[in-house]
């Protein structure tokens, strides 16, 4: 199965993709994570992308589509979750080509519908363990023991440089201008399913699972 999780920054794409990977064995393909990994490794792509990401703008279509293409081979058995990709019409067309070259096709595009004001609070409060990446939030999910990761015991935490209010507002603007307009491209193929992204993580998970399971019962 190949699915796209579509929604503005903070909508919960990464949360759902990581859960689906853990529970269903599918593979999370997050272009944001790929770019951050490229930067951590000091590759030319990562270094070039940094300033664009820090400003909240979109990295070039050619770069992100090439990153996705490099990861796609060998995933046929497990299925793919596209998280944060595609983000433009050119990327949507590139993804179709990448999949058809491998004899594969999209099954679902799941749009997480959210209230933008709530997203700013969600994103600016987010932080994670610097060692194991366990996710936390200043308001909704603090570590059980102060400043100690619940999962691995580390006392080191990190925040993304693009998770400040000004950059989040730019990222939301980019989503409205360039990403939301690709929905009709998928709607006309009957692929789009909508989920209430303002519900609890458990409720969103149940809605996503119901969509994926609908293909099994078809
Ligand atoms: P990327 O890393 O993809 O960031 P994003 O799309 O802005 O999405 P986020 O990771 O911020 O949010 P999310 O929807 O995954 O939400 P999450 O689950 O974390 O991209 C970063 C940058 O890279 C871009 O700005 C761009 O520069 C570049 N880039 C990446 N892909 C690109 C592409 N294809 N083309 C061009 N450039 C690209 O949840 C957020 C928070 O909310 C968490 O704290 C979480 O715990 C919490 N939460 C999640 N669900 C719920 C819920 N239901 N209720 C309450 N809280 C919830």
């Amino acid at each position: 199965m190949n699915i796209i999780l579509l929604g503005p920054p903070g909508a919960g794409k990464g949360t759902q993709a990581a859960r689906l990977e853990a529970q269903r064995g599918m593979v999370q393909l997050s272009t944001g994570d790929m770019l951050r990994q490229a930067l951590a490794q000091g590759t030319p792509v990562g270094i070039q992308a940094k300033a664009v990401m820090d400003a909240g703008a979109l990295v070039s279509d050619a770069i992100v589509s090439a990153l996705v293409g490099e990861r796609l081979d060998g995933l046929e058995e497990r299925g793919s979750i596209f998280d944060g990709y595609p983000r433009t019409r050119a990327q949507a067309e590139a993804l179709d080509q990448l999949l058809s070259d491998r004899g594969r096709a999209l099954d679902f595009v799941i749009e997480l519908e959210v209230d933008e004001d709530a997203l700013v609070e969600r994103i600016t409060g987010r932080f994670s363990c610097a060692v194991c990446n366990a996710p936390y939030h200043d308001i909704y999910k603090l570590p059980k023991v102060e400043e100690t990761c619940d999962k691995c015991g580390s006392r080191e935490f990190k925040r993304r440089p693009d998770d400040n209010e000004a950059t989040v507002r730019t990222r939301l603007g980019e989503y409205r201008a360039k990403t939301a307009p690709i929905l009709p491209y998928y709607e006309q193929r009957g692929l789009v399913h909508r989920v209430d992204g303002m519900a609890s993580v458990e409720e969103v998970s149940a809605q996503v699972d119901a969509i994926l399971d609908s293909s099994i019962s078809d």
Side-chain angles (χ1 to χ4, degrees):
M1 192 182 287
N2 301 294
I3 68 168
I4 294 173
L5 295 178
L6 201 71
K13 304 180 296 293
T15 302
Q16 290 301 316
R19 180 190 69 82
L20 289 170
E21 181 168 276
Q23 294 180 355
R24 293 188 179 233
M26 299 171 77
V27 179
Q28 175 183 12
L29 292 169
S30 157
T31 41
D33 287 348
M34 291 175 204
L35 291 164
R36 283 185 286 276
Q37 193 183 4
L39 176 62
Q41 292 168 344
T43 70
V45 162
I47 293 163
Q48 196 186 332
K50 180 178 171 25
V52 179
M53 293 172 79
D54 285 354
L58 293 188
V59 175
S60 89
D61 293 332
I63 286 178
V64 290
S65 293
L67 286 173
V68 172
E70 285 167 16
R71 304 285 175 104
L72 266 184
D73 289 320
L75 300 184
E76 292 78 2
E77 296 290 310
R78 296 179 60 187
S80 311
I81 310 152
F82 298 100
D83 162 10
Y85 177 87
R87 269 169 144 101
T88 63
R89 173 67 180 244
Q91 292 181 25
E93 290 171 358
L95 177 60
D96 280 344
Q97 190 65 49
L98 287 169
L99 289 173
S100 75
D101 287 348
R102 291 162 178 77
R104 295 162 59 183
L106 283 171
D107 296 279
F108 298 108
V109 176
I110 299 178
E111 184 193 4
L112 298 165
E113 292 186 304
V114 281
D115 162 8
E116 283 197 6
D117 288 331
L119 295 186
V120 177
E121 183 182 87
R122 267 195 197 179
I123 298 180
T124 53
R126 166 171 73 175
F127 65 101
S128 60
C129 172
V131 174
C132 72
N133 287 321
Y136 295 97
H137 194 280
D138 291 329
I139 299 170
Y140 306 115
K141 195 184 173 211
L142 283 166
K144 293 191 185 92
V145 177
E146 203 177 339
E147 292 179 20
T148 307
C149 176
D150 298 346
K151 216 169 142 192
C152 75
S154 161
R155 295 177 63 83
E156 301 285 321
F157 295 91
K158 61 183 178 186
R159 288 178 193 262
R160 276 172 43 180
D162 60 344
D163 277 354
N164 59 80
E165 180 163 354
T167 308
V168 171
R169 297 222 178 260
T170 304
R171 287 158 60 194
L172 287 169
E174 289 283 83
Y175 180 82
R176 273 194 302 271
K178 296 173 185 162
T179 308
I182 67 177
L183 273 162
Y185 179 72
Y186 294 118
E187 271 163 352
Q188 67 196 13
R189 287 151 63 182
L191 291 172
V192 178
H193 294 253
R194 294 192 163 81
V195 159
D196 175 10
M198 298 314 296
S200 67
V201 173
E202 292 70 27
E203 286 168 43
V204 174
S205 303
Q207 290 180 47
V208 169
D209 284 344
I211 294 165
L212 301 194
D213 291 340
S214 70
S215 77
I216 295 166
S217 57
D218 279 349

